[in-house]
Amino acid sequence: MTDYIALPKAEVHIHVEGCFEADDVIRNCQEAGIPLRAPRDRLFEAHDLKSFLEMLDWLCGTFRTREQLAITAYKFARRMAKSGVRYADVIVNPTHWPHWHSNIPGMINAFDAGFAAAEQDGYPPVGLCVSLLRTQSAEDAIELVELLSRIRHPRVVALSIDGNEAAAGRTGPRFAEAFRRAAAAGLRRTVHAGESSGPEGVRDAIELLGADRIDHGVRAIEEPALVDLLAQRRIPLGVCPISNVALGVYPSLAEHPIDALRKAGVPVSINTDDPALLDTTLEASYAACADTFGWNSETIRQLAATSVHASYANPALKAQILADLAVWRA
């Protein structure tokens, strides 16, 4: 039995909004007098991407104080440690958080306080990827990038974009200027694409947004020339197989293209997306994929190495994790 918790690895596609604990949400509701959206056992229930995003908006609306955000950040880092994650890039989308729309610097500072306290207690370092929502305007996007460029918070490592691609339509052209400015400001660029959109979303992420990492990206498999491009340019995909099955992108793990993409030379890593809401862990995702696709320990090591290379961790930390991974034994 392989111990996937002991495997040195990074998590590079995970949302802070997908890591809430029910006790914290219920406590928030009690403190603010907010009625629960559903009984405790169905608090995180959703049936498709649309209802999932609506649930996120409600959950985030219960977080109203700096302390609540700091606690969430601390517990996120603790969750990562329990899965053996050595470094994480976490996505936060301010549009989901109604009480923080007009105070994004305060939101970043609150999360930073929690992450810093967690790191002092021995939990893994965390980089913050601040995300746009696909339905925002080009002006909103540029405004966010200018804000991030102005405050230059060391916790913020990247500009991200997420949301329902199928509902929003093609958005690459709208956000191209914001991503160009993010690159000029020294921010990395990670883009949700190829989940509810097809391969065209992945191509836009590369050609219009200059993505240096793509979140999901799995539907690139539908266009062989695009798979070749990803492989040639070594553009990593932060793949979330359990999420893709749970939200109906693929009917089963056996039909998921992560192994086909890997065999085609595309850098793929395993991630959880929204583990608390989907009731999964990173180690469970590794185990399920290894079992489904018959991966041996060397393949697992390569996938973990890809997660580290694809992360926005600093070079010294990457080198340390990779050195530990080199001596890992299944």
Side-chain angles (χ1 to χ4, degrees):
M1 179 73 179
T2 300
D3 181 1
Y4 294 106
I5 294 176
L7 176 72
K9 57 193 173 293
E11 168 103 50
V12 300
H13 180 178
I14 185 168
H15 300 257
V16 72
E17 297 93 348
C19 296
F20 297 139
E21 297 184 10
D23 287 345
D24 292 336
V25 174
I26 291 168
R27 189 181 311 112
N28 294 349
C29 290
Q30 290 169 342
E31 290 174 0
I34 304 167
L36 291 180
R37 70 184 290 272
R40 180 195 173 88
D41 62 338
R42 299 197 354 254
L43 199 58
F44 297 156
E45 196 171 88
H47 307 289
D48 54 25
L49 188 57
K50 181 176 181 292
S51 63
F52 189 82
L53 292 171
E54 289 168 352
M55 173 184 63
L56 286 188
D57 288 339
W58 182 87
L59 292 170
C60 294
T62 72
F63 287 81
R64 302 182 176 189
T65 70
R66 174 184 168 89
E67 182 185 24
Q68 288 169 342
L69 296 189
I71 289 171
T72 294
Y74 187 97
K75 288 187 173 181
F76 173 86
R78 187 173 68 187
R79 171 187 285 273
M80 294 296 95
K82 285 180 179 177
S83 289
V85 171
R86 303 289 191 88
Y87 170 87
D89 286 320
V90 66
I91 300 161
V92 62
N93 188 320
T95 68
H96 289 309
W97 305 73
H99 294 274
W100 298 93
H101 287 171
S102 60
N103 186 15
I104 293 173
M107 181 185 208
I108 292 169
N109 284 332
F111 281 128
D112 176 60
F115 292 136
E119 196 169 344
Q120 284 186 331
D121 287 346
Y123 296 131
V126 177
L128 200 58
C129 304
V130 181
S131 197
L132 294 159
L133 191 66
R134 290 190 180 279
T135 50
Q136 288 183 272
S137 68
E139 292 74 25
D140 289 338
I142 290 169
E143 186 179 325
L144 177 63
V145 172
E146 289 180 345
L147 170 66
L148 297 177
S149 302
R150 192 164 60 248
I151 64 176
R152 292 194 176 274
H153 198 292
R155 182 69 59 184
V156 177
V157 293
L159 178 69
S160 166
I161 184 167
D162 59 18
N164 190 334
E165 300 167 86
R170 188 183 181 203
T171 55
R174 187 194 311 164
F175 297 114
E177 176 60 18
F179 273 78
R180 187 194 67 76
R181 295 189 188 195
L187 289 167
R188 308 297 294 272
R189 285 89 55 212
T190 182
V191 176
H192 274 59
E195 179 192 24
S196 56
S197 75
E200 71 282 352
V202 179
R203 192 170 285 281
D204 276 0
I206 299 167
E207 296 178 352
L208 299 180
L209 304 182
D212 49 38
R213 190 172 71 214
I214 295 174
D215 298 320
H216 296 300
V218 286
R219 291 189 59 195
I221 197 71
E222 297 165 23
E223 187 182 312
L226 181 57
V227 173
D228 290 344
L229 181 68
L230 290 166
Q232 289 163 8
R233 294 198 188 176
R234 306 298 298 162
I235 298 172
L237 305 184
V239 182
C240 304
I242 301 302
S243 169
N244 292 158
V245 173
L247 296 179
V249 181
Y250 295 101
S252 70
L253 195 55
E255 295 168 85
H256 194 283
I258 185 172
D259 198 44
L261 288 162
R262 180 188 70 82
K263 288 176 177 174
V266 178
V268 295
S269 63
I270 297 175
N271 305 273
T272 56
D273 207 359
D274 300 282
L277 307 187
L278 299 171
D279 193 26
T280 190
T281 63
L282 188 55
E283 63 272 25
S285 296
Y286 269 89
C289 288
D291 183 58
T292 299
F293 300 114
W295 290 340
N296 61 23
S297 60
E298 195 49 45
T299 299
I300 295 295
R301 193 194 314 275
Q302 290 167 4
L303 287 156
T306 297
S307 74
V308 178
H309 288 299
S311 79
Y312 300 144
N314 67 57
L317 179 56
K318 284 188 179 184
Q320 181 59 61
I321 302 170
L322 291 168
D324 293 343
L325 179 59
V327 297
W328 171 77
R329 292 288 177 266

